[in-house]
Structure formats: structure tokens, C-alpha cells
Amino acid sequence: SMDGITAMLTVMVKLVKKKHPDNFQMLFVDDRTWATKTPRACCEVRDTWRHFSCVFGLVDNPSQDQFTHPTRNGRKRLVEVGIPLGKR
């Protein structure tokens, strides 16, 4: 149910925020969006979300991951830490 997934994801948002206090997060239904200060932090938040998804019994679909940055240099830095751009 929508209420159940919302309750579960709300708990997960709080857990991720506790572990990564400098990130900004937003949810829309079951889509998660976050912004971080560094590419490394982006990877860490992604991995934390995947961990909590597993713990809570949710199945993430990595093929739906999308990462971007507004600048060419920022996109290059994402690729350097192993984040593929434009994936979907």
C-alpha cells in the first residue's frame, strides 16, 4: 500500500540522513533523490540506500539509477568515482 511504502521510506530517509547529515534528500512516491557535496558522498549515500533497502526487504533496480551534475567537470568527477552518467 502507498501508506506502507511511505512509512518505510520515511524511516529510511531518517536513517540515511543520520548517517550522511550533509546530504539533501527528497522522495516522490518510491523515487529517491539526493544531492551531496562530493562524488564520493554521492556513492556513499547510494550505497547506504541500497543497504537499508536490503535490510527492509525492498528490491532496488540499479538499472533505473540516474546520476548527473550541472557542470562538465562535475560529471567528469562522478565518472572518476565509478558513477555512470545518464544511466536509464
Side-chain angles (χ1 to χ4, degrees), residues 16-25 35-38 41 45:
V16 171
K17 187 67 172 176
K18 185 175 181 177
K19 187 167 182 173
H20 306 282
D22 289 338
N23 87 88
F24 168 81
Q25 300 178 87
T36 60
K37 293 181 180 180
T38 67
V45 171

Side-chain angles (χ1 to χ4, degrees), residues 1 6 16 21 62 73 76-77 83:
S1 80
T6 300
V16 171
N73 186 46
K76 179 182 174 200
R77 290 177 55 215
I83 296 175

Side-chain angles (χ1 to χ4, degrees), residues 65-85:
D65 289 351
Q66 295 182 42
F67 299 95
T68 192
H69 191 278
T71 69
R72 179 180 291 173
N73 186 46
R75 291 187 295 274
K76 179 182 174 200
R77 290 177 55 215
L78 288 170
V79 171
E80 287 171 354
V81 297
I83 296 175
L85 299 179

Side-chain angles (χ1 to χ4, degrees), residues 12-83:
M12 292 170 68
V13 164
K14 290 178 182 178
L15 292 169
V16 171
K17 187 67 172 176
K18 185 175 181 177
K19 187 167 182 173
H20 306 282
D22 289 338
N23 87 88
F24 168 81
Q25 300 178 87
M26 189 167 59
L27 294 177
F28 179 75
V29 187
D30 66 342
D31 290 331
R32 300 171 298 261
T33 301
W34 62 86
T36 60
K37 293 181 180 180
T38 67
R40 179 80 50 213
C42 183
C43 289
E44 291 170 358
V45 171
R46 177 202 58 201
D47 294 345
T48 300
W49 267 108
R50 287 183 179 166
H51 168 76
F52 285 127
S53 292
C54 184
V55 167
F56 280 75
L58 300 177
V59 178
D60 276 342
N61 185 350
S63 70
Q64 292 184 344
D65 289 351
Q66 295 182 42
F67 299 95
T68 192
H69 191 278
T71 69
R72 179 180 291 173
N73 186 46
R75 291 187 295 274
K76 179 182 174 200
R77 290 177 55 215
L78 288 170
V79 171
E80 287 171 354
V81 297
I83 296 175

